[in-house]
Amino acid sequence: MKRVALSLISALALTAASPALAQSINIGHLADYSGGTSDVGKPYGQGVQDTIAWINKNGGVNGKTINSDFNEYGYQVPRALAAFKKWTSGSDKVVAIQGWGTADTEALVALVTKEQIPYYSGSYSASLTDPTGKGSPKSERAAPYNFFYGPSYSDAARAMVQWAADDWKAKGGQGKPKWVHMGANHPYPNSPKAAAEAYAKELGFDVLEPITFALTPGDYTAQCLTLKQAGANYAYLGNTAGSNISVLKACETAGVKVQFLGNVWGMGEEAMKAAGTAANGVVFPVRTAVTWTGTAPGMATFKDISKMSDPSGAAYRSVHYMTAVCTVLYMKEAMDWADKNGGVTGPKIAEGMYQKKDWVPKGTEGVCNPSTWTATDHRSNMTVDLYRAVVGGAADGELADLVKSGAVKLDKVATITLPRKTDLLGW
């Protein structure tokens, strides 16, 4: 019921906002509100829906409505492929897609390239970052129509390895620290595994055997006992928040003393509330320059967008919602350019993504981090902001109230800028 309500609210807002706009631009929107990543899929998907509705309310793309076809695919690759087939057949063919997961995004790379449809994913797999497929020996494929906002999974993981090495020294750690990758045997958590492990070895870590746990919540006591016995110092949680919460709670009960590091989707304010004190201390990357309580000129735009599905303005929006807003606004400005330079087609939208350097969408100043895409490198930025989850005591009640009281908060611990090494493109 919640999934339907979320979709309906934005759909109504979109419909109400659109009548004055004469022409429409068709896009697809793939979202997970019911599957294995729905815990973070819901806030991200709502951010996409709200932003599209807000764009249409405020003049669209040079007067043209964005007509978004919402598809809740439950994180199932076959359903994503079926949605793509629908979107690329008939007279209502889409010119861009707001996508989601790693497995489905990677499965669609060749198809979106063939159809020349820019695909803005919630997946930040490094394999999507080389538009030529020839940028480095590590590149797996050409992905000229794949875009995402924020550091790749691999670069974010490298930043966390760098932070862990610095943390170990700052704490006076003796000997070689131990690094372990934890997550499901699935394209999403596996995406940055090799890159992080290679960098950890380079920085002097002992890299332990990976510990596997499913993408879904469960009893992971056995994994926590393995982690404890291995003596790991830094554990990278590669899954999304839902299953990570189970691990954190089980490890708290088992008395595991380790510094957990979360994938970009592995932690967030909702997860901090759900995990309670078990989430306290987890370090993970945040893709925007500020969080919902931050002060920046662009926050006025974000608060206005939020009202598309929360007219009261009372809702607290997570880091995942905010990332979705940035992602859609980058697409919108590329469409603006395309409309003025030959028409809103897939190839022109992709070309529009290359028109600016250190680019922040209008109205998001101080919130969306400056990003650059080029025809030879789709790594949008190499700067990674790392935050620590702080949960003081019981996290009962509404999230907005918990954040306001300080019971749940995010503290920035580091900003790490990685070198844009060509030999790491696509990996």
Side-chain angles (χ1 to χ4, degrees), residues 204-265:
F205 286 79
D206 273 338
V207 176
L208 307 178
E209 285 295 313
I211 297 173
T212 303
F213 68 102
L215 272 170
T216 52
D219 181 0
Y220 297 120
T221 301
Q223 285 84 346
C224 289
L225 293 176
T226 298
L227 181 64
K228 189 174 186 179
Q229 291 164 5
N233 304 108
Y234 298 91
Y236 174 85
L237 297 173
N239 288 359
T240 57
S243 54
N244 287 351
I245 291 166
S246 295
V247 169
L248 292 169
K249 286 184 173 181
C251 288
E252 182 182 47
T253 300
V256 177
K257 303 299 181 184
V258 65
Q259 174 62 62
F260 284 108
L261 302 132
N263 180 285
V264 67
W265 299 109

Side-chain angles (χ1 to χ4, degrees), residues 63-145:
K64 298 177 177 68
T65 301
I66 297 178
N67 178 31
S68 175
D69 185 26
F70 177 85
N71 188 297
E72 198 289 299
Y73 78 120
Y75 205 58
Q76 297 179 33
V77 174
R79 289 170 62 180
L81 293 170
F84 184 82
K85 183 177 180 180
K86 173 192 172 187
W87 289 332
T88 54
S89 60
S91 59
D92 294 332
K93 182 177 176 179
V94 302
V95 295
I97 295 172
Q98 287 288 326
W100 181 237
T102 296
D104 37 279
T105 298
E106 291 185 338
L108 287 166
V109 169
L111 293 172
V112 301
T113 300
K114 179 183 177 182
E115 297 289 343
Q116 298 181 306
I117 298 174
Y119 196 94
Y120 297 84
S121 65
S123 169
Y124 310 143
S125 173
S127 68
L128 306 170
T129 60
D130 185 358
T132 69
K134 301 175 183 177
S136 85
K138 297 287 189 180
S139 295
E140 295 180 13
R141 60 170 75 85
Y145 282 88

Side-chain angles (χ1 to χ4, degrees), residues 123-175:
S123 169
Y124 310 143
S125 173
S127 68
L128 306 170
T129 60
D130 185 358
T132 69
K134 301 175 183 177
S136 85
K138 297 287 189 180
S139 295
E140 295 180 13
R141 60 170 75 85
Y145 282 88
N146 285 88
F147 300 91
F148 57 78
Y149 159 72
S152 73
Y153 292 144
S154 295
D155 287 329
R158 290 185 184 104
M160 284 186 275
V161 171
Q162 179 66 64
W163 177 85
D166 295 341
D167 181 65
W168 182 252
K169 292 176 185 176
K171 289 178 177 176
Q174 300 298 308

Side-chain angles (χ1 to χ4, degrees), residues 4-28:
V4 175
L6 284 169
S7 304
L8 183 59
I9 289 171
S10 284
L12 289 173
L14 183 61
T15 302
S18 303
L21 304 183
Q23 296 174 281
S24 63
I25 298 167
N26 295 326
I27 72 165

Side-chain angles (χ1 to χ4, degrees), residues 91-424:
S91 59
D92 294 332
K93 182 177 176 179
V94 302
V95 295
I97 295 172
Q98 287 288 326
W100 181 237
T102 296
D104 37 279
T105 298
E106 291 185 338
L108 287 166
V109 169
L111 293 172
V112 301
T113 300
K114 179 183 177 182
E115 297 289 343
Q116 298 181 306
I117 298 174
Y119 196 94
Y120 297 84
S121 65
S123 169
Y124 310 143
S125 173
S127 68
L128 306 170
T129 60
D130 185 358
T132 69
K134 301 175 183 177
S136 85
K138 297 287 189 180
S139 295
E140 295 180 13
R141 60 170 75 85
Y145 282 88
N146 285 88
F147 300 91
F148 57 78
Y149 159 72
S152 73
Y153 292 144
S154 295
D155 287 329
R158 290 185 184 104
M160 284 186 275
V161 171
Q162 179 66 64
W163 177 85
D166 295 341
D167 181 65
W168 182 252
K169 292 176 185 176
K171 289 178 177 176
Q174 300 298 308
K176 298 176 72 173
K178 295 179 180 180
W179 173 276
V180 64
H181 175 96
M182 299 180 68
N185 184 18
H186 179 278
Y188 158 62
N190 283 342
S191 176
K193 179 175 171 290
E197 290 181 343
Y199 194 44
K201 289 177 182 177
E202 183 181 328
L203 295 188
F205 286 79
D206 273 338
V207 176
L208 307 178
E209 285 295 313
I211 297 173
T212 303
F213 68 102
L215 272 170
T216 52
D219 181 0
Y220 297 120
T221 301
Q223 285 84 346
C224 289
L225 293 176
T226 298
L227 181 64
K228 189 174 186 179
Q229 291 164 5
N233 304 108
Y234 298 91
Y236 174 85
L237 297 173
N239 288 359
T240 57
S243 54
N244 287 351
I245 291 166
S246 295
V247 169
L248 292 169
K249 286 184 173 181
C251 288
E252 182 182 47
T253 300
V256 177
K257 303 299 181 184
V258 65
Q259 174 62 62
F260 284 108
L261 302 132
N263 180 285
V264 67
W265 299 109
M267 188 46 59
E269 298 94 329
E270 295 99 337
M272 291 161 63
K273 170 176 160 43
T277 55
N280 191 49
V282 176
V283 171
F284 71 106
V286 171
R287 292 142 293 180
T288 50
V290 295
T291 60
W292 195 248
T293 57
T295 302
M299 280 307 300
T301 298
F302 282 70
K303 296 297 176 72
D304 202 26
I305 289 171
S306 177
K307 289 180 181 178
M308 299 309 299
S309 62
D310 174 45
S312 71
Y316 178 90
R317 301 300 191 179
S318 74
V319 292
H320 307 308
Y321 179 99
M322 294 178 69
T323 298
V325 174
C326 292
T327 303
V328 176
L329 291 178
Y330 278 110
M331 179 190 74
K332 188 264 184 187
E333 292 201 357
M335 287 179 170
D336 284 337
W337 182 89
D339 186 56
K340 296 175 181 177
N341 291 274
V344 188
T345 64
K348 282 296 181 180
I349 295 169
E351 191 178 345
M353 294 296 293
Y354 304 144
Q355 299 305 308
K356 300 176 185 178
K357 184 179 179 180
D358 295 328
W359 169 22
V360 174
K362 183 180 179 181
T364 69
E365 292 78 12
V367 186
C368 299
N369 279 317
S371 301
T372 303
W373 292 266
T374 72
T376 57
D377 191 342
H378 281 194
R379 290 176 291 186
S380 60
N381 61 62
M382 303 297 293
T383 297
V384 184
D385 291 324
L386 298 178
Y387 282 71
R388 187 190 304 276
V390 179
V391 184
D396 300 323
E398 294 295 325
L399 181 57
D401 295 333
L402 293 170
V403 172
K404 186 176 181 179
S405 71
V408 167
K409 65 178 181 176
L410 291 170
D411 287 343
K412 184 183 284 191
V413 296
T415 296
I416 295 175
T417 300
L418 300 163
R420 190 178 286 273
K421 293 183 178 180
T422 302
D423 62 341
L424 295 181

